[in-house]
Amino acid sequence: MTTTRTENAGLAAGSPAPSPRRLRGGKDSDGGRRKLLGIGGGLAAVVLLALLPLLNLSLPGILPGPTYTPGSLQLLAMCLLMAAAALSYHMLLGVAGLLSFGHALYFGAGVYGLAVILSNLQIPLLPAMGLTLLVVVILAHVVGSISLRVGGIPFAMVTLAFAQAGSVMVRRNPGGTTGGEEGLALDTANLPDFLVGVANTRNLYWLALAALVLVFAAVSWIQYSRAGHVAAAVRENELRVRVLGLQPYLAKLLVFVAGALMAGLVGMVYLLLQSGAVPRAVSSDFTITLLVMVVLGGVGSRWGAVAGGIFYTLLDQRLTALANSEAVAGLPDVLRIPLSEPLFILGTLFILVVLFLPGGITGGIRGAARRFARPRGGQPGRTATAATARQIPEEQA
Amino acid sequence: MSTVILLAATGLGLGALYFLVASGLSLIYGLMGVLNFAHGSFLTLGAFAGWEVARRTGADSWWTFLLSILIGAAVGALFAAFTEFVLIRRLYQRHIEQVLITVGLALATVALFEGIWGTDPVFIQGPAWFKDTTELLGARIPNDRFVCIIAAVLVLLAMVLFLKRTRYGMIIRAGVENRSMVTALGIDVRKAFTLVFTIGGAAAGLGGVLASHYFGYVSPLLGGSLLIFAFIVTVIGGLGSLTGAAVASVAVALLQQFANFYFGLGDLAVVLALALVLLFRPAGLLGRKS
């Protein structure tokens, strides 16, 4: 519970009452301006990202080539998808405060569900996607309703166990449907032509961008709906919510299923982008990857989840390149072994962020910005709660 | 009949390994509320330490085996104590951050083990007697199963004696029951934290050496694969209950072995059992009502 408190206490402390006014951008002129700035900045970023495949930009050291080449677009699309997946995990950890270790189950259900349906049923892409989402929703309801009977750490263990069962099933290859350890190649027979082939990577890139925008909009909508406020209140104090006559279980289940649905959606686009399903998509390692992204970006912040997803994906790619580079191969063992394991560096970085930078990337930037804006510490006598409550307008951006 | 006996003995051997992991997890969770994802790494490091000892001393004698068990347990205990002292202690009472730290540690250490010992399983040699079988009621049972079972029973007895008969054991039991009261009585409960981590790490390191003989190999992923079932065991047995962990490890391992042999669905049967326990007894078989 406390992870989210530092970052997010404002959400619950500034009870639902003032938030509708802020959402309409009313009296709180500071908040309104920030919100407009945020929306404008977000729109500009989306337009820029949408134009990238048409531009010839080079970012040496980050992208393998100019932005219009398929290799770069593949990596960028992967960044956007991981950002969207991290956002779906943010629904659980950031909004409802649920530490789930089984989120990969729904991502994997999207990946494998669509792959299995496309290769076994002769139906077009859109109905197949609808059918897959239906499967994901049912699965999330069943698992969610059982595992939400416990809270906190036991919830983490139970979701882990269910995801592990899913992972084991996929690896066992029941009836030859999932392809076992080798995975399952995407059956392109019923796909529209503009999504098939390396030459069409930019269409897949736009699809990934659309998925990210859609997931971001959905997360914002649910997070600031009444149900989202109830879920956030449950995160802070479940007993109080219960005393108020509200039902924590239903709010948590709603957030759980919504997060699972988004993960399933992202999983389907991931399948199209990777043109194949691999067991790693269902493994607990993948859930942990999402968790690392959200924490690196900053728990409780939507932009944090997006930034964490992009940062992690790029860093992982760069570190793998570093591990295979000549410079590392020439080092003595003491340095070579740690540097040639990207996960060792990422894991260590993760521990350092948890220990020393509890707000992650966004928390760090925000703290720096605040110090920069008010070198003398602002008005005296402001309590900690008031200080954190001020973050809400920024977060809504 | 002999098949049933063989399955039961194999299941008990596996249950012994589960218990060695789950007992530490359960005690740590009961006292500190920390879900320790790095517990698998304690086990893996113990297993590799045991393997290094066996490799360096060369002979596959009983002395080597005993030494590797001791070294494995000691390495696990040291690693666990280090984890508690350096990483967990800084985040006192912040449970989710503590879990995150152990997750990060598990990620980093598994990657490091892969870097040092390679990703492929390393095959291991024990005393020649391990390869033989003993005939029991018509079933030929591999001898290493007995070693695992005896070791786990000894660990269980030692833990129970320690918890019931010593002053520190009493503090740990009291802390599991009501930590704030223990603190209010002026007892430094943080010493008990380090102690519980050390004991859990020693059991996991010992379990690692035994697991490497049970499965016949060591790999960096050995701990992680056992850890998930140990989590299930602790939830089914009731978090914080040592007896619950013992009962549940045997039950889970037997269920897994039999379901695997007759239906090929061992892992799914275990998860199904977990779901049933949660539906009807959310606190676990021997857990306290919360």
Side-chain angles (χ1 to χ4, degrees):
Chain A
M1 289 298 122
T2 30
T3 328
T4 45
R5 187 158 299 162
T6 44
E7 183 62 19
N8 239 348
L11 279 180
S15 62
S19 54
R21 193 173 60 206
R22 269 206 315 271
L23 276 178
R24 283 186 227 112
K27 285 184 197 166
D28 193 343
S29 64
D30 192 26
R33 204 178 316 135
R34 275 170 197 281
K35 183 169 175 278
L36 277 181
L37 262 177
I39 290 180
L43 278 179
V46 169
V47 170
L48 178 67
L49 283 173
L51 289 178
L52 272 189
L54 309 175
L55 300 175
N56 182 2
L57 296 175
S58 291
L59 293 171
I62 298 177
L63 292 179
T67 45
Y68 65 88
T69 54
S72 297
L73 285 178
Q74 174 87 12
L75 176 61
L76 283 170
M78 189 53 74
C79 288
L80 298 179
L81 280 184
M82 287 304 111
L87 264 175
S88 75
Y89 192 76
H90 156 80
M91 283 291 288
L92 298 181
L93 184 64
V95 177
L98 293 169
L99 184 62
S100 162
F101 278 99
H103 205 55
L105 185 60
Y106 314 105
F107 182 82
V111 175
Y112 271 95
L114 187 61
V116 169
I117 287 174
L118 279 178
S119 58
N120 289 311
L121 305 178
Q122 296 302 316
I123 52 176
L125 181 63
L126 281 180
M129 287 179 112
L131 197 58
T132 310
L133 284 182
L134 188 69
V135 172
V136 172
V137 167
I138 293 172
L139 182 70
H141 267 105
V142 172
V143 176
S145 54
I146 293 177
S147 43
L148 282 169
R149 287 176 65 84
V150 287
I153 301 295
F155 174 81
M157 293 190 187
V158 174
T159 47
L160 176 66
F162 278 107
Q164 195 59 23
S167 170
V168 166
M169 246 178 60
V170 164
R171 283 174 206 272
R172 282 273 166 81
N173 193 11
T177 46
T178 62
E181 293 287 342
E182 317 226 309
L184 195 58
L186 177 64
D187 187 348
T188 52
N190 289 312
L191 289 186
D193 285 338
F194 65 91
L195 290 179
V196 182
V198 178
N200 285 322
T201 307
R202 64 181 192 180
N203 292 333
L204 287 166
Y205 168 82
W206 280 320
L207 189 64
L209 181 62
L212 174 61
V213 171
L214 182 69
V215 168
F216 193 90
V219 167
S220 312
W221 179 54
I222 296 175
Q223 188 171 345
Y224 294 105
S225 69
R226 289 176 61 89
H229 283 301
V230 173
V234 170
R235 180 190 71 215
E236 299 302 330
N237 192 334
E238 177 156 356
L239 191 63
R240 252 168 96 177
V241 173
R242 205 169 291 197
V243 169
L244 287 172
L246 298 165
Q247 289 182 319
Y249 183 82
L250 289 182
K252 283 193 283 188
L253 188 61
L254 176 84
V255 169
F256 187 89
V257 173
L261 187 65
M262 291 174 206
L265 179 81
V266 177
M268 292 193 296
V269 183
Y270 178 87
L271 171 77
L272 296 176
L273 181 68
Q274 295 290 79
S275 50
V278 283
R280 206 191 103 76
V282 204
S283 67
S284 54
D285 287 357
F286 184 71
T287 308
I288 289 179
T289 309
L290 293 180
L291 174 67
V292 172
M293 287 172 186
V294 170
V295 173
L296 280 183
V299 179
S301 148
R302 285 167 299 161
W303 287 112
V306 173
I310 294 176
F311 177 68
Y312 182 97
T313 314
L314 285 178
L315 195 63
D316 190 31
Q317 209 264 348
R318 286 291 83 195
L319 286 176
T320 312
L322 173 76
N324 298 327
S325 67
E326 302 270 320
V328 167
L331 290 171
D333 274 1
V334 185
L335 286 175
R336 182 183 58 79
I337 291 175
L339 282 181
S340 59
E341 294 291 335
L343 272 180
F344 174 76
I345 303 175
L346 285 168
T348 314
L349 179 69
F350 177 69
I351 294 178
L352 292 177
V353 165
V354 174
L355 280 180
F356 301 113
L357 197 65
I361 299 173
T362 44
I365 292 175
R366 222 168 261 162
R370 207 171 303 136
R371 269 194 299 279
F372 181 71
R374 282 186 222 93
R376 286 287 119 200
Q379 306 104 314
R382 193 141 53 80
T383 61
T385 347
T388 37
R390 284 195 63 82
Q391 291 180 2
I392 301 172
E394 297 163 41
E395 238 164 55
Q396 288 190 332
Chain B
M1 186 59 198
S2 64
T3 319
V4 171
I5 303 238
L6 179 63
L7 284 175
T10 311
L12 284 176
L14 189 61
L17 296 180
Y18 287 167
F19 172 74
L20 287 173
V21 186
S23 54
L25 276 180
S26 194
L27 275 182
I28 291 173
Y29 183 83
L31 185 67
M32 309 167 63
V34 179
L35 175 62
N36 186 11
F37 268 83
H39 218 73
S41 293
F42 301 165
L43 183 140
T44 313
L45 189 64
F48 273 117
W51 173 73
E52 287 282 354
V53 168
R55 191 172 64 114
R56 272 153 215 265
T57 49
D60 35 2
S61 68
W62 277 97
W63 290 113
T64 308
F65 175 66
L66 283 181
L67 186 66
S68 71
I69 277 199
L70 280 181
I71 300 277
V75 166
L78 274 180
F79 184 23
F82 171 82
T83 305
E84 199 279 333
F85 206 74
V86 176
L87 298 174
I88 308 285
R89 176 157 294 191
R90 310 171 60 106
L91 298 168
Y92 180 60
Q93 281 285 308
R94 289 154 66 186
H95 297 314
I96 287 193
E97 271 105 329
Q98 288 174 329
V99 175
L100 296 182
I101 289 276
T102 62
V103 167
L105 188 65
L107 269 184
T109 48
V110 168
L112 194 62
F113 297 154
E114 286 183 346
I116 298 174
W117 285 290
T119 44
D120 296 330
V122 185
F123 294 95
I124 195 160
Q125 290 284 331
W129 183 75
F130 280 19
K131 288 260 170 25
D132 293 340
T133 54
T134 303
E135 194 152 322
L136 187 76
L137 296 173
R140 300 176 66 83
I141 296 162
N143 285 331
D144 52 7
R145 310 299 191 250
F146 296 116
V147 178
C148 290
I149 297 168
I150 292 169
V153 170
L154 288 181
V155 167
L156 173 63
L157 286 179
M159 280 191 180
V160 168
L161 277 181
F162 173 78
L163 288 175
K164 300 250 161 165
R165 292 296 163 88
T166 63
R167 183 181 150 74
Y168 271 107
M170 207 152 70
I171 294 177
I172 291 173
R173 278 192 301 141
V176 171
E177 203 71 34
N178 186 342
R179 188 178 43 203
S180 40
M181 179 59 88
V182 176
T183 322
L185 289 173
I187 295 166
D188 185 3
V189 85
R190 282 180 306 175
K191 274 187 197 141
F193 291 171
T194 318
L195 193 65
V196 161
F197 252 85
T198 313
I199 294 174
L206 172 68
V209 178
L210 291 176
S212 61
H213 286 286
Y214 181 94
F215 296 114
Y217 67 87
V218 197
S219 92
L221 301 175
L222 181 68
S225 55
L226 277 172
L227 185 68
I228 288 178
F229 288 104
F231 280 155
I232 297 179
V233 163
T234 45
V235 175
I236 290 184
L239 287 158
S241 159
L242 193 63
T243 344
V247 172
S249 4
V250 172
V252 164
L254 286 179
L255 175 71
Q256 196 178 10
Q257 287 297 321
F258 280 95
N260 242 347
F261 184 78
Y262 289 108
F263 311 105
L265 296 170
D267 302 337
L268 292 184
V270 170
V271 175
L272 195 67
L274 172 74
L276 289 177
V277 168
L278 281 176
L279 280 174
F280 297 107
R281 279 188 77 95
L285 292 178
L286 294 174
R288 279 170 295 144
K289 295 260 181 339
S290 54

